[in-house]
Amino acid sequence: MGETAITAAEVVRPRVRALVAAYAVSSYGNFLNLIALSLFTYEVTGSGLGLGLIMALRLFSGFLAGLAAGALAARAGRRRLMITADVCQAVAMAVLAVCARSASAWLPAVVVIVLGAGNTFFTVALRSAVPVLVGSEARVRVNGQLMTVRSVATVAGFASAAPVIGIAGYGAAFAVNGASFLVSAAAMFFLRLRTDEEPATPQGAERPDSVSLLRVMTAVPALMLGMILLRGADALASSSHNVALPVVSALHSPQNPAVFMTQFWASWAAGTLVAHQVLKRRKASRTEDRWGLYAYVGGTCAMSLCFVLAFTGPAPLVLMVIVGVAGIADGFTEIVYTSMLQKMPDRERSRLFGLSATVETCGFALGMVAAAAALEAWSVLAVVGVFHGLAFCGALTLFLTTLPGRRTADGRPA
């Protein structure tokens, strides 16, 4: 059976729904495992330092994978890269599930390397493949669907981690995650979706139109490069509330901090659902590029303001509203940002998303370290305020640089 193309009119058809559903399953396994693997690693290493080093290893693995993801996608093909990434992660989780009771520190270290690289490879390939899968006009809707199911999977994974581990143990949680990767790999294999506009290059052959990461960085329009850098600043800012939230949860609900965290992320996920519903009803205009750029900047500013307000100690219902608005802004910016990067030519798109993944991972990793250190000396509100203030200022800077020439995200006059 050969690969088949899917037009924009076919977005709602079963194969695309099946792909989104498989992504939801895989995302659920990832977020369930994020809790399980962190607790398991702390138990195996016996120290916070050991946990921190292994988690840093995962981020570093993802950082390096971002540099290579574009080239690998061009060589092997996006579909093959996604299947390989899923299978490798499934094998790693299966080994960890079997050896969970007798594992030493080196095993989770190896596993996080596979997970960090595999997740980056899969994400870069999937995001850059969306315009080929469904057509350029439908990419915003599909980006929203993917983001929506991931948001729901975030809450479901976090909420179910404690009962799964408590009832069945770490091995069961790792097995569930491994099975979720196999579901994703099977969907990509059997659906036979077209993910590349051009055939993958045979092994050992030269691809004359291949584009190096360095060439992408130098050729990408300045405004789009600014958007990627702002995405890195956004990741750095987000690391602050991810580090601060467990602290606030323990203070706010010492008996059951997990409930507070679940309510927080559930409110955020509800906001991302609203963002998708709003954007999928919007019609394209002649000023689409400029609108997207300014929407991305405005959404980043709104997200930063809301997350800072969330840590000022509002009443529970007010907190849920604020975090919900932050979710709307977060979902809005992610869909717009991803959709704008997908407008780049196919042969450059994978490497551009690889560059974006590298910048985001670097920003989040640096932010996690810096925010954790800052919390030793500053209050939670001060840390979150400073970090999100950097993202806010970065967004304003990008906005101001777009005003004089009034150019689009592709570098053309509006």
Side-chain angles (χ1 to χ4, degrees):
M1 176 191 272
E3 292 184 342
T4 55
I6 295 180
T7 65
E10 296 177 297
V11 171
V12 296
R13 293 193 177 182
R15 286 194 299 168
V16 175
R17 290 202 198 103
L19 176 63
V20 173
Y23 178 73
V25 172
S26 177
S27 297
Y28 165 75
N30 274 331
F31 288 107
L32 167 67
N33 184 55
L34 187 63
I35 301 295
L37 187 56
S38 296
L39 295 173
F40 176 77
T41 301
Y42 182 77
E43 187 175 297
V44 170
T45 60
S47 70
L49 177 61
L51 172 61
L53 290 175
I54 289 180
M55 293 299 104
L57 187 61
R58 179 172 185 164
L59 291 172
F60 184 67
S61 175
F63 171 84
L64 293 180
L67 298 175
L72 282 175
R75 283 281 175 187
R78 296 179 181 122
R79 176 171 170 268
R80 184 181 300 174
L81 182 59
M82 285 187 277
I83 293 172
T84 302
D86 276 335
V87 170
C88 289
Q89 291 180 92
V91 171
M93 295 314 302
V95 172
L96 191 58
V98 171
C99 302
R101 294 187 178 182
S102 58
S104 55
W106 67 267
L107 183 56
V110 173
V111 168
V112 298
I113 292 174
V114 177
L115 294 178
N119 181 66
T120 298
F121 287 143
F122 183 91
T123 301
V124 169
L126 178 62
R127 287 184 174 180
S128 58
V130 165
V132 185
L133 284 168
V134 299
S136 181
E137 292 182 0
R139 72 188 192 281
V140 174
R141 174 176 293 186
V142 174
N143 288 333
Q145 291 172 349
L146 292 171
M147 185 215 62
T148 296
V149 298
R150 194 191 68 205
S151 299
V152 174
T154 302
V155 178
F158 285 167
S160 62
V164 169
I165 296 170
I167 296 172
Y170 290 115
F174 299 148
V176 169
N177 189 208
S180 73
F181 286 127
L182 291 180
V183 169
S184 177
M188 288 304 305
F189 181 80
F190 289 110
L191 291 174
R192 308 288 292 178
L193 297 169
R194 182 187 174 203
T195 58
D196 299 272
E197 289 186 358
E198 300 174 3
T201 306
Q203 188 172 5
E206 291 289 334
R207 183 172 181 174
D209 63 344
S210 62
V211 183
S212 68
L213 181 60
L214 180 60
R215 284 186 59 189
V216 170
M217 293 177 65
T218 55
V220 67
L223 295 183
M224 191 166 286
L225 184 59
M227 291 178 67
I228 293 174
L229 293 176
L230 178 56
R231 191 68 177 172
D234 186 345
L236 184 142
S238 296
S239 67
S240 67
H241 63 253
N242 277 275
V243 170
L245 186 57
V247 177
V248 173
S249 299
L251 293 174
H252 186 275
S253 181
Q255 299 301 322
N256 199 349
V259 172
F260 182 87
M261 291 185 68
T262 301
Q263 291 174 342
F264 187 98
W265 289 120
S267 301
W268 172 84
T272 63
L273 295 175
V274 174
H276 170 51
Q277 295 302 315
V278 171
L279 280 174
K280 77 176 185 180
R281 287 173 170 78
R282 184 184 178 276
K283 295 183 181 295
S285 67
R286 288 181 298 175
T287 58
E288 188 70 18
D289 288 347
R290 192 170 71 228
W291 178 90
L293 179 65
Y294 293 166
Y296 174 57
V297 167
T300 301
C301 290
M303 179 270 298
S304 291
L305 285 173
C306 287
F307 273 124
V308 173
L309 289 174
F311 287 89
T312 59
L317 288 178
V318 176
L319 174 64
M320 292 176 68
V321 172
I322 291 173
V323 176
V325 175
I328 294 174
D330 220 351
F332 201 77
T333 55
E334 178 166 343
I335 296 172
V336 169
Y337 172 77
T338 302
S339 300
M340 292 191 71
L341 260 63
Q342 287 168 348
K343 295 185 70 174
M344 295 295 288
D346 184 72
R347 68 193 185 99
E348 299 175 9
R349 198 183 304 131
S350 293
R351 288 176 171 82
L352 192 62
F353 273 103
L355 174 62
S356 177
T358 298
V359 171
E360 290 180 58
T361 303
C362 184
F364 193 77
L366 291 175
M368 292 287 283
V369 174
L375 281 173
E376 297 295 322
W378 297 351
S379 68
V380 168
L381 179 60
V383 172
V384 175
V386 168
F387 278 67
H388 277 286
L390 292 174
F392 187 92
C393 291
L396 288 181
T397 300
L398 182 60
F399 175 74
L400 292 175
T401 59
T402 64
L403 289 179
R406 294 178 61 80
R407 293 180 176 271
T408 69
D410 292 331
R412 304 187 304 271

